[in-house]
Amino acid sequence: MNLSVVILAAGQGTRMKSSLPKVLHGVCGRPMVQYAVDTARALSGQPPTLVVGHGAEAVQAALGDQCRYVVQWPQLGTGHAVLQAAPALSGQAGLTLVWYADMPLLTAESLQRIVDRQRENSGPITMLTVVADDPRGFGRVQRDSSGAVTAIIEEAQATAAQKAIRELNVGAYCFDSAFLWAELPRLPVSPKGEYYLTDLIGVAVSRGRRVEAVALDDAAEAIGINTRVHLAEVEAVMRQRINRRWMESGVTLIDPATTLIEPEVMLEPDTVIWPNTQLVGRTRIGGNCLIGPNCLIRDTAIGARCEVVASVLEGATVEEDVSIGPFAHLRQGAHLASGVHVGNFGEVKESYLGPGVKMGHFSYIGDAHIGAGSNIGAGTVTCNFDGQKKSVTTVGSEVFIGSDTMLVAPVTLGDRSRTGAGSVVTKNVPADSLAIGIPARIRKKSDG
Ligand code: UD1
Ligand code: CA
């Protein structure tokens, strides 16, 4: 049976007090609407229809061709929002699944349950409910003495007795499409001048039809984001879910509460993550690594058996058996081959450090290629920028760079060459030779 999906994302999100559209606020590093879109794609073969309004251009720019879009302007309520999809979808028979983009914790499994229930019954609607002590301003689910659902009462319209009801409307519905598109244009206007999708439940009941309700097992799935306090609650639950999944697949998290792992990160078993560590973007980490405490690692690939302490890695590639930190900074294009050591206050950008290179103390290596087994003395700097342009430094293999050497690029140091402490190298240094002084002169063949 055909399943259409409509996701509502047109509201301003006034209670967020933000210039950013609500659905673009991030949860674990991704716009919250992205979770709804991913869930929709897991449930239905066709792209979902997203109802946009406030910040429509920004939302469409963020999601691109993952969705079809319909614009709701002005925003006259959730019923009015779904109605905007009628021209695009009302010709399709089957079922229509509708939910709100501000509930990123809602799982595909729970939505599948209302789809399955709707498939097997003759009523026009199956809705998702949750039983919770804190009503959080949700619509209340009213049932009659036989237990049948009779209406959803929005909090603003609820009597004191109705407000006491603890079964709440989650905000996800599976409709018989024919019923939805026939009744939606006839929704009554609410006292606030809006058209509530939730009033369709009362409409169905008044037509003598039965409304089915499925209750969530895990109330956390129903946390909708209306304020920044809710945003933080959802972030915490999402983080716990991701962390639990990694622990179940063999990664040790010393302190999950202070470990943030974004959804696209990949980890291998027997890696240990120490507290206060953030793994973000498309980061990949091999097995048997020790990461943290106090690391920020973004869009970086790390091989097996590496150790990274209190460091920031962004857009870097790190092979196996590398040790980094404390207090190192790998920037875009840093590539550390196997066995490299970068110690405290080392910064590497757009550079390759060959196998076994040692860079123990406060150095800057930018736009450089360092050969295997070379030693970069404390305080070495590649002077790669002359104020106008960037230039390249090339260092051969088994080179010994003395402490505090300035390598004024473009410059090349041959294999097995050495520089004296404090030298300023402005000219190429041949293989097997020693350069010292300011500016550095070639003194003699190196002893090797
Ligand atoms: C809604 C439900 C409430 C439910 C709660 C659960 C209605 C009338 N009320 O209340 O029963 O318990 O969700 O989270 O549906 N939107 C539009 N266009 C509009 C208005 C809203 O696209 O004109 C979108 C919003 O962007 C948002 C979603 O619909 O993603 C829900 O709107 P919101 O204002 O957050 O509804 P709630 O007050 O939370
Ligand atoms: Ca909401």
Side-chain angles (χ1 to χ4, degrees):
M1 200 189 294
N2 178 64
L3 178 67
S4 305
V5 175
V6 179
I7 301 168
L8 304 192
Q12 185 176 12
T14 319
R15 291 164 278 180
M16 296 295 281
K17 307 215 166 102
S18 175
S19 56
L20 187 69
K22 175 166 88 172
V23 297
L24 292 184
H25 279 260
V27 172
C28 289
R30 313 163 84 207
M32 70 174 86
V33 63
Q34 183 67 59
Y35 293 92
V37 172
D38 286 354
T39 301
R41 293 174 78 97
L43 287 165
S44 168
Q46 44 177 306
T49 298
L50 195 71
V51 182
V52 292
H54 274 281
E57 281 176 20
V59 175
Q60 292 183 48
L63 295 170
D65 59 9
Q66 300 180 73
C67 308
R68 296 196 206 115
Y69 301 94
V70 296
V71 177
Q72 181 200 20
W73 201 272
Q75 288 80 38
L76 300 178
T78 47
H80 178 256
V82 179
L83 186 59
Q84 309 313 304
L89 297 177
S90 62
Q92 299 186 26
L95 303 179
T96 304
L97 181 60
V98 179
W99 81 96
Y100 307 151
D102 63 358
M103 300 186 295
L105 295 170
L106 198 54
T107 62
E109 291 72 32
S110 296
L111 290 163
Q112 187 66 53
R113 287 173 65 202
I114 59 171
V115 173
D116 291 344
R117 178 76 73 88
Q118 184 55 31
R119 274 211 176 103
E120 68 206 19
N121 84 80
S122 57
I125 309 173
T126 304
M127 60 179 289
L128 203 54
T129 72
V130 62
V131 177
D133 291 336
D134 178 1
R136 301 173 68 97
F138 279 28
R140 310 298 203 272
V141 179
Q142 191 175 57
R143 293 177 182 262
D144 65 17
S145 53
S146 76
V149 173
T150 54
I152 299 174
I153 320 282
E154 290 304 309
E155 186 169 82
Q157 273 87 57
T159 64
Q162 288 166 335
K163 278 189 185 148
I165 296 172
R166 284 297 167 264
E167 187 179 12
L168 313 171
N169 172 35
V170 171
Y173 323 84
C174 189
F175 295 98
D176 169 58
S177 300
F179 170 89
L180 176 69
W181 303 120
E183 295 294 348
L184 209 46
R186 296 186 230 157
L187 269 183
V189 64
S190 80
K192 279 174 85 184
E194 293 194 349
Y195 298 87
Y196 292 154
L197 187 61
T198 46
D199 283 343
L200 280 180
I201 280 71
V203 168
V205 172
S206 73
R207 301 261 187 282
R209 311 209 42 201
R210 187 180 165 84
V211 172
E212 294 285 325
V214 171
L216 280 177
D217 295 328
D218 174 9
E221 284 193 40
I223 303 176
I225 299 171
N226 293 334
T227 68
R228 297 196 199 225
V229 173
H230 300 155
L231 182 68
E233 286 174 22
V234 168
E235 172 88 22
V237 176
M238 190 70 82
R239 188 189 309 163
Q240 280 166 22
R241 276 190 193 171
I242 294 170
N243 288 353
R244 169 174 284 275
R245 182 162 58 82
W246 285 119
M247 290 186 278
E248 285 169 352
S249 40
V251 175
T252 295
L253 306 185
I254 301 293
D255 182 16
T258 63
T259 304
L260 170 69
I261 304 174
E262 286 190 356
E264 287 174 60
V265 170
M266 299 297 293
L267 305 171
E268 297 284 336
D270 286 324
T271 277
V272 177
I273 315 283
W274 287 85
N276 199 28
T277 290
Q278 302 179 30
L279 309 178
V280 305
R282 292 170 187 272
T283 290
R284 290 183 163 19
I285 299 181
N288 292 96
C289 290
L290 297 173
I291 308 291
N294 304 332
C295 287
L296 169 61
I297 303 181
R298 183 191 308 281
D299 297 326
T300 290
I302 298 179
R305 299 176 303 280
C306 291
E307 195 173 337
V308 186
V309 180
S311 292
V312 177
L313 280 54
E314 302 167 290
T317 304
V318 175
E319 298 183 16
E320 314 77 29
D321 303 296
V322 171
S323 80
I324 297 170
F327 318 120
H329 188 188
L330 302 189
R331 293 166 51 203
Q332 186 63 42
H335 180 168
L336 276 45
S338 59
V340 165
H341 168 64
V342 172
N344 38 223
F345 310 109
E347 175 180 344
V348 181
K349 182 219 78 169
E350 287 296 351
S351 294
Y352 174 74
L353 273 55
V357 166
K358 303 283 179 261
M359 175 179 157
H361 329 272
F362 36 90
S363 290
Y364 170 60
I365 299 296
D367 304 307
H369 186 283
I370 315 287
S374 291
N375 187 89
I376 301 170
T380 296
V381 171
T382 53
C383 308
N384 61 332
F385 185 52
D386 63 6
Q388 242 96 79
K389 63 177 191 313
K390 299 277 172 68
S391 297
V392 169
T393 300
T394 306
V395 174
S397 55
E398 305 295 334
V399 172
F400 184 91
I401 303 175
S403 294
D404 218 11
T405 296
M406 301 293 123
L407 299 167
V408 182
V411 71
T412 297
L413 277 61
D415 291 345
R416 297 169 305 279
S417 60
R418 305 164 67 90
T419 69
S423 47
V424 176
V425 182
T426 57
K427 294 202 183 83
N428 293 347
V429 180
D432 300 300
S433 61
L434 169 68
I436 58 166
I438 306 173
R441 288 157 295 123
I442 310 302
R443 280 291 295 267
K444 57 167 184 173
K445 282 285 191 188
S446 161
D447 306 332

